[in-house]
Amino acid sequence: MTPGTQKSAVKTELGRRYHFAASHRLHNPALTEEENWRLYGKCNNPYGHGHNYTLEVLVSGKVDPATGMIANLADLDGFVEREVLEPFDHKSLNEDVAAFRSVVPTTENLCIEIFRRLKPFPKAKLERIRVQETSNNSFEYAGENPEAFEG
Amino acid sequence: MVLLTRKIEFAASHLYNNPDFSPEENRRVFGKCNNPHGHGHNYTLEVTVAGEPDPVTGMVLDLKDLKEILEREVMQRMDHRFVNYEVPELAGQIPTCENIARVIWNLLDPQIKQGKLHRVRLYETPDLFADCYRNGSQGAKS
């Protein structure tokens, strides 16, 4: 894109944050009880534990001159609600989400699963997501496109 | 390269209305943001400048200079304003977070003489924001 053309100068992304609460247990059945405990510590507690997760979704696309929007928030909110919040909020990730029957629900794996679910959003391009597990831990995933981290 | 970010907050009102749409269409597309008397937000703006620290000053850019640029270009233009009516740069545009962020990018970019404007992030609420980057840049490449 050459400078001076209409679309050249600025790339714009829309970011939206969502919140859900869920429980999980970090446990790999291929490992012994002792190995699980050593690896996951208290996150291996057999009854699980919960977090208030914050999900940040970044999408990009052309800003529609008629609406001033990359994507209508009602469309994005509805899609995220259906694909992530409804199936994850106030659920046990291990028990209630099929993907985590065979995959340990670390927040890394949660990022990958959420990205997979949101990637088909039809109204804009999903750039990347960030999941905050606690105020001290957050994880980001951009699919197989690490350049999306650079904006 | 080092990234430096400064944050400011301003309060402004806006409304979304496209004169080419019927009243029903405006209501459907923009929802309560179409309220004719407008509504307001506390905006938070994060401005990130990229560059190498000057060997003499140790600075990418003097924060004092950045503060003055933000005061002049953003605060004086937008703080406690109804942006639809009082910010000419937004004339003819719906003042969404995306468009306000882009206007701010275009105002700031020519003013940053040391380092290079890397990102403008504008929060309309803690859960909604827009980011602007230089198109074609891949962050570290500037």
Side-chain angles (χ1 to χ4, degrees):
Chain A
M1 201 92 57
T2 53
T5 57
Q6 186 66 32
K7 294 187 292 182
S8 66
V10 189
K11 179 182 181 190
T12 308
E13 297 179 357
L14 175 70
R16 183 74 157 147
R17 287 185 183 152
Y18 302 92
H19 306 273
F20 63 93
S23 63
H24 69 170
R25 180 198 185 199
L26 304 187
H27 180 84
N28 183 338
L31 303 175
T32 66
E33 292 295 316
E34 292 71 30
E35 283 170 329
N36 269 297
W37 182 251
R38 198 167 56 243
L39 180 61
Y40 295 122
K42 59 189 178 183
C43 297
N44 185 238
N45 167 25
Y47 298 103
H49 63 280
H51 297 285
N52 292 325
Y53 291 94
T54 298
L55 166 64
E56 191 174 294
V57 177
L58 286 115
V59 298
S60 68
K62 187 174 173 294
V63 177
D64 182 343
T67 63
M69 298 171 179
I70 289 173
N72 195 310
L73 279 182
D75 293 334
L76 183 60
D77 288 354
F79 191 80
V80 175
E81 173 69 33
R82 193 172 68 243
E83 296 298 325
V84 177
L85 303 181
E86 200 273 328
F88 289 16
D89 187 38
H90 285 71
K91 298 287 170 63
S92 159
L93 297 177
N94 303 64
E95 302 298 328
D96 296 319
V97 179
F100 298 121
R101 302 245 168 79
S102 53
V103 171
V104 183
T106 57
T107 311
E108 292 91 324
N109 283 332
L110 186 57
C111 275
I112 293 169
E113 175 62 13
I114 290 174
F115 190 91
R116 188 189 67 76
R117 286 168 178 252
L118 296 183
K119 187 71 183 139
F121 180 58
K123 308 286 175 117
K125 182 186 175 207
L126 180 67
E127 288 283 343
R128 61 192 179 279
I129 63 160
R130 188 171 78 92
V131 177
Q132 189 173 300
E133 184 185 40
T134 72
S135 54
N136 295 327
N137 297 335
S138 70
F139 303 81
E140 296 181 57
Y141 188 62
E144 297 307 313
N145 178 27
E147 285 190 352
F149 287 123
E150 308 290 351
Chain B
M1 192 184 69
V2 176
L3 301 181
L4 168 162
T5 299
R6 182 156 181 98
K7 180 169 86 169
I8 60 167
E9 294 178 353
F10 62 93
S13 57
H14 68 174
L15 76 94
Y16 297 172
N17 186 71
N18 185 332
D20 297 335
F21 292 171
S22 68
E24 296 69 35
E25 212 173 354
N26 271 303
R27 193 79 195 154
R28 186 178 54 75
V29 174
F30 298 125
K32 57 189 177 182
C33 297
N34 184 234
N35 169 26
H37 302 293
H39 62 281
H41 297 284
N42 293 327
Y43 288 91
T44 300
L45 174 68
E46 290 174 0
V47 175
T48 302
V49 176
E52 295 297 335
D54 181 287
V56 176
T57 64
M59 298 173 180
V60 171
L61 142 99
D62 192 329
L63 273 178
K64 190 156 39 53
D65 295 342
L66 182 56
K67 187 180 170 186
E68 281 170 15
I69 292 168
L70 294 176
E71 172 65 31
R72 188 176 67 237
E73 299 296 333
V74 180
M75 294 302 280
Q76 289 183 16
R77 254 191 193 79
M78 299 187 183
D79 187 37
H80 286 71
R81 304 286 185 180
F82 198 137
V83 298
N84 297 65
Y85 305 125
E86 298 186 89
V87 179
E89 290 81 3
L90 282 163
Q93 300 183 55
I94 312 292
T96 54
C97 206
E98 293 95 312
N99 277 336
I100 300 175
R102 187 177 296 218
V103 162
I104 291 173
W105 173 284
N106 288 333
L107 288 168
L108 295 180
D109 191 35
Q111 303 292 327
I112 310 284
K113 311 273 203 259
Q114 283 174 281
K116 212 167 179 189
L117 185 58
H118 174 78
R119 187 180 83 173
V120 163
R121 171 171 286 191
L122 180 67
Y123 287 90
E124 185 176 289
T125 73
D127 289 336
L128 174 65
F129 59 89
D131 285 340
C132 287
Y133 297 90
R134 196 174 304 281
N135 206 356
S137 83
Q138 290 300 334
K141 195 177 69 182
S142 65

